[in-house]
Amino acid sequence: CLCVCVVDIMARKRPSNMLSRLHVLYLTLTATIVLDLIVATSAQTSDCPATIDECGCRRKFGYRFILYCERLGHIDAVPPFKMSERLYDEFYITEKTILDKLQADAFHGIRVEKIRLLQLGIEKVDVFAFRGLHNSLKEIHMDENNIQDIKQGTFSQLGKVTYVGIQSNNLATITAGMFDGLSSVRYLFLIHNKLHTLHEYAFVGLSQLTGLHMQYNEIRELPARLFADLYNLNELELNDNHLQTLPAGLFDVTIDITRIVLYNNEIESLPGGLFDNCVRLVHLDLSNNKLGDLPDDLFANMHELLRLRLGGNRIKTLQASAFQAMTKLESLYLHENRISILPDGIFASLGNLDSL
């Protein structure tokens, strides 16, 4: 009402210059802020499901409802909530809080689309921690905690979740079925853990996944069928691990992948035909590995490739046809290798190359 009255009164004066129009905008925004504060206070005192003083509700941008807890000290479980029919855009715990675990039914009574639990020291996640959120939850953020493992079934029935972030934790193994239930997840961030073992069925059922990020771990090998269900995978980041090779058939179904990042590993060799089905690939980074001679057909189907990075390896020779298919290539990095002679015509098909 306040916003409408301000706009109506000013409109009657029919401002004739830019200054007056800016005045109208200023008053309108001011009224909106005041209105938001009134609504936020109303939400806090009426239907907010918080049960302790350190938790509360606020409204953001006039239409987003936020549920939060802060300055809880050292607690062993998420505080309880009253039953609420309101759909909250976000729930977070922050500021001077140490949370030991996510207990079973940790979010009982509330409906929320995004959960942010960052830098809380969480060590354990109960297999039923997210029970009851199957109709609302879309994003899970649990970065910078101390989570060591996640049991099969933890994400069961969370079919609306599109984003899962478990970065900077202590995960060592991705077991079969760990992500069961995440049938709609598109982005999975597992950066900066202690991953060394990935079960061949680790990502079964994640057919909508487009971005898989597992850089800065301790991974030494990948099972050949690891990506067998990832038909929509678009971006893969595995840099800064300890990979020594990649198995044949690893990318057989990932025909939509456009970006593969593998720099700072220990890759010594790659099987021929490894990238045959990566026909939409535009960025491939294999720099800072231990690659020697490359298979003749390694890049045979890379007609869309724009950027190829092979610097910092041990490559001695290249075939004259090595880059023949890359007619769209714009940048090629071969520095810090052991190449002494390049065959005549090796760059003949690279008419778009502008960086070498």
Side-chain angles (χ1 to χ4, degrees):
C1 179
L2 183 56
C3 295
V4 174
C5 291
V6 170
V7 174
D8 183 59
I9 292 170
M10 295 304 298
R12 291 177 185 176
K13 295 183 178 181
R14 300 187 182 277
S16 57
N17 53 59
M18 183 59 70
L19 185 61
S20 296
R21 292 190 181 93
L22 290 174
H23 190 203
V24 171
L25 179 59
Y26 171 76
L27 290 176
T28 303
L29 290 175
T30 302
T32 301
I33 293 171
V34 172
L35 183 61
D36 281 352
L37 290 173
I38 294 172
V39 174
T41 303
S42 176
Q44 173 69 28
T45 56
S46 58
D47 61 351
C48 185
T51 60
I52 60 176
D53 292 340
E54 292 78 9
C55 299
C57 302
R58 62 169 58 106
R59 195 167 178 178
K60 191 174 182 181
F61 305 127
Y63 60 90
R64 298 186 64 225
F65 290 91
I66 311 297
L67 177 61
Y68 67 92
C69 295
E70 55 191 16
R71 300 177 184 273
L72 295 171
H74 193 159
I75 56 175
D76 64 355
V78 177
F81 301 98
K82 297 180 293 185
M83 295 293 293
S84 175
E85 292 299 320
R86 183 183 296 280
L87 177 61
Y88 287 88
D89 295 273
E90 182 178 343
F91 167 69
Y92 67 84
I93 299 178
T94 187
E95 287 193 29
K96 299 182 179 179
T97 300
I98 298 176
L99 174 62
D100 290 338
K101 66 178 183 295
L102 293 185
Q103 75 276 23
D105 301 307
F107 310 100
H108 178 70
I110 62 172
R111 299 170 63 231
V112 62
E113 292 186 338
K114 179 194 295 186
I115 289 177
R116 274 198 305 123
L117 304 169
L118 312 179
Q119 299 179 324
L120 298 176
I122 300 170
E123 295 183 357
K124 296 181 180 180
V125 180
D126 190 275
V127 70
F128 299 117
F130 300 105
R131 186 163 54 186
L133 296 176
H134 56 282
N135 286 325
S136 63
L137 193 59
K138 295 180 180 179
E139 295 185 21
I140 300 172
H141 300 253
M142 296 191 294
D143 306 330
E144 299 182 71
N145 285 291
N146 298 318
I147 300 170
Q148 297 182 23
D149 72 310
I150 294 176
K151 304 297 184 184
Q152 182 177 7
T154 300
F155 303 115
S156 179
Q157 299 183 359
L158 296 182
K160 290 189 175 182
V161 170
T162 60
Y163 178 102
V164 175
I166 316 175
Q167 304 177 81
S168 300
N169 278 275
N170 295 323
L171 292 175
T173 303
I174 303 297
T175 56
M178 178 180 288
F179 301 109
D180 280 359
L182 296 173
S183 57
S184 297
V185 71
R186 296 187 61 194
Y187 305 101
L188 181 56
F189 287 85
L190 300 169
I191 305 167
H192 271 298
N193 277 276
K194 298 179 180 179
L195 292 174
H196 56 76
T197 303
L198 306 177
H199 193 279
E200 65 175 329
Y201 299 132
F203 305 120
V204 166
L206 307 188
S207 60
Q208 300 303 309
L209 193 68
T210 61
L212 179 57
H213 306 268
M214 295 189 291
Q215 57 266 50
Y216 298 102
N217 279 287
E218 301 169 13
I219 304 169
R220 294 187 176 276
E221 61 179 351
L222 302 177
R225 291 184 51 80
L226 185 64
F227 305 142
D229 271 13
L230 306 187
Y231 303 102
N232 290 295
L233 191 64
N234 183 262
E235 182 171 308
L236 174 67
E237 293 188 335
L238 275 164
N239 54 279
D240 293 277
N241 278 282
H242 301 292
L243 293 169
Q244 297 179 356
T245 189
L246 299 178
L250 182 65
F251 299 107
D252 277 359
V253 306
T254 58
I255 60 174
D256 286 330
I257 198 164
T258 62
R259 177 179 167 87
I260 298 176
V261 180
L262 293 161
Y263 66 83
N264 289 349
N265 276 281
E266 300 166 17
I267 301 172
E268 298 179 357
S269 63
L270 294 171
L274 177 65
F275 302 115
D276 277 359
N277 289 346
C278 300
V279 294
R280 296 183 176 89
L281 197 65
V282 298
H283 180 100
L284 176 60
D285 193 339
L286 290 163
S287 58
N288 296 332
N289 279 283
K290 299 179 180 180
L291 286 169
D293 293 335
L294 302 177
D296 295 347
D297 61 346
L298 187 62
F299 309 126
N301 288 342
M302 295 192 179
H303 303 289
E304 302 296 322
L305 199 68
L306 300 179
R307 296 175 294 277
L308 177 60
R309 297 179 178 177
L310 295 170
N313 280 284
R314 300 174 181 178
I315 301 170
K316 295 180 179 180
T317 61
L318 290 169
Q319 299 295 319
S321 60
F323 311 121
Q324 187 173 1
M326 305 178 190
T327 57
K328 296 182 180 180
L329 196 68
E330 296 176 354
S331 63
L332 172 62
Y333 298 118
L334 295 168
H335 60 284
E336 296 182 32
N337 276 287
R338 300 175 182 179
I339 302 169
S340 56
I341 299 176
L342 288 172
D344 292 340
I346 190 171
F347 304 130
S349 63
L350 306 184
N352 291 309
L353 194 66
D354 59 22
S355 180
L356 177 62

